[in-house]
Amino acid sequence: GQNIDQPTEMTATEGAIVQINCTYQTSGFNGLFWYQQHAGEAPTFLSYNVLDGLEEKGRFSSFLSRSKGYSYLLLKELQMKDSASYLCAVRDQANNLFFGTGTRLTVIP
Amino acid sequence: DVKVTQSSRYLVKRTGEKVFLECVQDMDHENMFWYRQDPGLGLRLIYFSYDVKMKEKGDIPEGYSVSREKKERFSLILESASTNQTSMYLCASSLAGGSGLAGNTIYFGEGSWLTVV
């Protein structure tokens, strides 16, 4: 079966750095995705990791350790518009995508 | 840019009604998906399709059916709507294959908010 865990809620201050963790247990692994979802809107793709290490894309970075079943999303120089839910999703070798329940991030002034 | 369009953004239906949710994608993607999203439960897969006229059950197919007559269109059908089907429904699409390429990213439509009363 699949099990994906991430914190339910986090709060951080504008301008700061925040790290959102995701741990997973899947039958086979074929990539991990991070999505951003603003309230009332559809998820939008942020990042993709399939090999161990850090992928950087502007203010956002995503890290993967396959041996530990662990990923994190790092957001730097937080802005108010970064307040959203962040979804971790893992794809198994059958190309099925499984989502965590999401982490709701609130950025405060 | 990939565009996934869901025809209805907000619907209110009565218990027992038949409901159609339509989804169209314009990027010639082979795979299409229907999810529902509920507070505290995250995204749950209802049905998916890897090709025209193909369908596969996801995690929660009960009470739903789907239709994929054309590659670009994937419809979700609630034969007899019930109040526990009140939810946000998300359609998504992706290229075929499980090679791990980032191009197999799933792209979502804007969502359809369904309320069954």
Side-chain angles (χ1 to χ4, degrees):
Chain A
Q2 321 296 334
N3 191 31
I4 300 170
D5 287 315
Q6 48 182 136
T8 304
E9 294 195 24
M10 298 183 71
T11 301
T13 305
E14 191 176 15
I17 299 173
V18 71
Q19 178 174 312
I20 303 174
N21 296 325
C22 172
T23 58
Y24 64 89
Q25 294 172 311
T26 58
S27 51
F29 176 83
N30 197 19
L32 185 144
F33 297 81
W34 283 96
Y35 284 83
Q36 181 191 59
Q37 186 177 25
H38 285 100
E41 298 181 12
T44 55
F45 171 74
L46 281 180
S47 70
Y48 171 76
N49 295 72
V50 67
L51 300 176
D52 290 349
L54 189 69
E55 293 283 341
E56 297 187 76
K57 195 186 284 187
R59 293 190 298 117
F60 293 3
S61 304
S62 57
F63 172 82
L64 174 67
S65 169
R66 288 172 295 171
S67 62
K68 296 181 180 177
Y70 168 69
S71 173
Y72 66 73
L73 180 69
L74 194 71
L75 292 76
K76 302 176 187 174
E77 302 168 17
L78 277 174
Q79 301 175 9
M80 299 300 290
K81 67 178 181 180
D82 296 331
S83 291
S85 288
Y86 291 86
L87 310 179
C88 173
V90 177
R91 184 166 60 200
D92 66 13
Q93 289 185 326
N95 205 27
N96 300 310
L97 195 62
F98 299 92
F99 285 86
T101 55
T103 299
R104 186 160 60 192
L105 173 67
T106 301
V107 180
I108 57 176
Chain B
D1 278 354
V2 175
K3 188 138 177 79
V4 181
T5 304
Q6 295 181 228
S7 56
S8 302
R9 198 76 205 276
Y10 301 98
L11 304 95
V12 179
K13 297 292 182 180
R14 295 189 183 280
T15 300
E17 275 192 81
K18 191 169 185 175
V19 182
F20 291 87
L21 298 179
E22 305 286 348
C23 175
V24 177
Q25 50 92 4
D26 65 359
M27 284 301 292
D28 204 33
H29 283 173
E30 289 82 7
N31 301 337
M32 295 190 75
F33 309 83
W34 275 105
Y35 291 87
R36 63 177 283 178
Q37 186 174 33
D38 301 287
L41 297 177
L43 280 157
R44 293 181 290 167
L45 183 64
I46 304 171
Y47 267 96
F48 60 99
S49 168
Y50 287 146
D51 202 351
V52 176
K53 297 195 184 295
M54 272 194 55
K55 59 184 179 183
E56 297 284 343
K57 293 180 180 179
D59 299 321
I60 50 164
E62 296 78 18
Y64 303 94
S65 62
V66 289
S67 172
R68 185 128 183 241
E69 295 297 316
K70 293 184 179 181
K71 190 176 185 180
E72 67 271 18
R73 188 179 297 270
F74 193 36
S75 303
L76 180 69
I77 304 155
L78 288 68
E79 294 289 343
S80 177
S82 63
T83 54
N84 63 11
Q85 292 178 309
T86 292
S87 185
M88 182 167 87
Y89 290 87
L90 284 162
C91 175
S93 72
S94 75
L95 288 168
S99 63
L101 295 173
N104 299 130
T105 299
I106 284 184
Y107 295 92
F108 288 90
E110 291 184 332
S112 298
W113 293 87
L114 172 66
T115 301
V116 183
V117 298

